[in-house]
Amino acid sequence: MDRADLATHREFLKDTLRLTVNFARTEQNRGIAPPPIEKPPRPDQQAIALPGEEAFQAFAGTDLLDAIGSRRSHRRFRDAPVTLAELAFLLWATQGVRQVLDAGHALRTVPSAGCRHAFETYLLVARVTGLEPALYRYLPVEQALVLERRSERLAAELGVATLGQQFVATAPVTFAWTVIPRRMEWRYDLAAHRVILMDAGHLCQNLYLACAAIGAGTCAIAAYHQELMDRLLGVDGGDEFTIYLAPVGKV
């Protein structure tokens, strides 16, 4: 290991960069409008409504102490589908909107530095009742999905893009989170990127705990081929790119 390289990369974990940023010059403090809360659907995309919070009462009663105490990563799933209500609950638990404050801010079910919420949620669906196998994106404001693309090769592409981790490719549904850095940079400039990674941890931990309420499990995935994963999701790799993955299935 090169000690100089290690020292350089360790600096990213510290908050010393904040001392060098002139926050008076951020886009926020220059009066520039914030990026929108979510990527809008394309004109050719129709929203697919998801069950709302009234449907989540079926998952009430899970003991939080038990959920935390039994939390583990699962790489094997039963051959059973995830229901649409269960999927809607997991989406709401990880990025659901509780209140829209203005065009660029919303209170959600997970914390985010400066209420910036820099992520988009994509779903690689294989076995979800009520949905055809395809790539979807979550619209948290509307509690809906949009279809991104159909392909008989999605599972194969996912297996290659996750470096041969076949349990990801065979899961009923895989959550794939992308980041739009400018949402955070608008407020924090160069200090944005460290807290983006903290926020990714917040939403994935909520997925782990929410899975306990539906008899499912997940496994956080940070190892993937960046270019292939971005291409699979249809994002540009610069202004938006893959940051984290989590396959979900019944256990």
Side-chain angles (χ1 to χ4, degrees), residues 184-198:
M184 194 68 76
E185 294 162 349
W186 174 83
R187 180 177 175 90
Y188 293 115
D189 198 79
L190 290 178
H193 311 111
R194 176 173 169 269
V195 291
I196 284 172
L197 295 182
M198 294 179 183

Side-chain angles (χ1 to χ4, degrees), residues 80-92:
V82 173
T83 71
L84 193 60
E86 290 168 342
L87 179 63
F89 169 66
L90 298 182
L91 288 165
W92 174 83

Side-chain angles (χ1 to χ4, degrees), residues 217-233:
T218 188
C219 179
I221 302 295
Y224 51 87
H225 189 293
Q226 188 72 52
E227 183 180 352
L228 293 180
M229 199 65 222
D230 291 344
R231 187 186 307 163
L232 190 161
L233 299 180

Side-chain angles (χ1 to χ4, degrees), residues 50-232:
L50 290 170
E53 292 182 42
E54 67 283 352
F56 304 159
Q57 291 306 308
F59 314 127
T62 302
D63 185 85
L64 183 61
L65 291 178
D66 288 343
I68 294 174
S70 61
R71 189 223 60 80
R72 60 183 289 264
S73 292
H74 291 272
R75 294 175 176 82
R76 293 185 179 181
F77 307 115
R78 290 193 291 112
D79 186 21
V82 173
T83 71
L84 193 60
E86 290 168 342
L87 179 63
F89 169 66
L90 298 182
L91 288 165
W92 174 83
T94 51
Q95 281 287 273
V97 169
R98 291 163 38 222
Q99 180 184 354
V100 176
L101 301 178
D102 56 43
H105 298 83
L107 301 178
R108 304 204 189 195
T109 54
V110 291
S112 176
C115 197
R116 297 311 307 135
H117 299 284
F119 306 110
E120 291 284 329
T121 304
Y122 292 78
L123 299 167
L124 293 118
V125 169
R127 296 187 303 284
V128 174
T129 55
L131 290 177
E132 64 174 307
L135 173 67
Y136 299 84
R137 181 167 61 87
Y138 179 46
L139 303 179
V141 175
E142 296 87 349
Q143 183 64 4
L145 298 176
V146 287
L147 175 66
E148 291 289 339
R149 75 179 177 102
R150 299 178 179 89
S151 172
E152 294 181 356
R153 290 190 47 77
L154 272 180
E157 291 178 39
L158 183 57
V160 174
T162 54
L163 308 175
Q165 298 179 82
Q166 288 305 310
F167 77 94
V168 183
T170 58
V173 58
T174 296
F175 283 62
W177 293 292
T178 64
V179 62
I180 298 178
R182 185 171 171 264
R183 288 185 190 163
M184 194 68 76
E185 294 162 349
W186 174 83
R187 180 177 175 90
Y188 293 115
D189 198 79
L190 290 178
H193 311 111
R194 176 173 169 269
V195 291
I196 284 172
L197 295 182
M198 294 179 183
D199 283 0
H202 298 152
L203 66 87
C204 194
Q205 179 66 358
N206 262 29
L207 180 64
Y208 269 92
L209 296 179
C211 278
I214 66 166
T218 188
C219 179
I221 302 295
Y224 51 87
H225 189 293
Q226 188 72 52
E227 183 180 352
L228 293 180
M229 199 65 222
D230 291 344
R231 187 186 307 163
L232 190 161

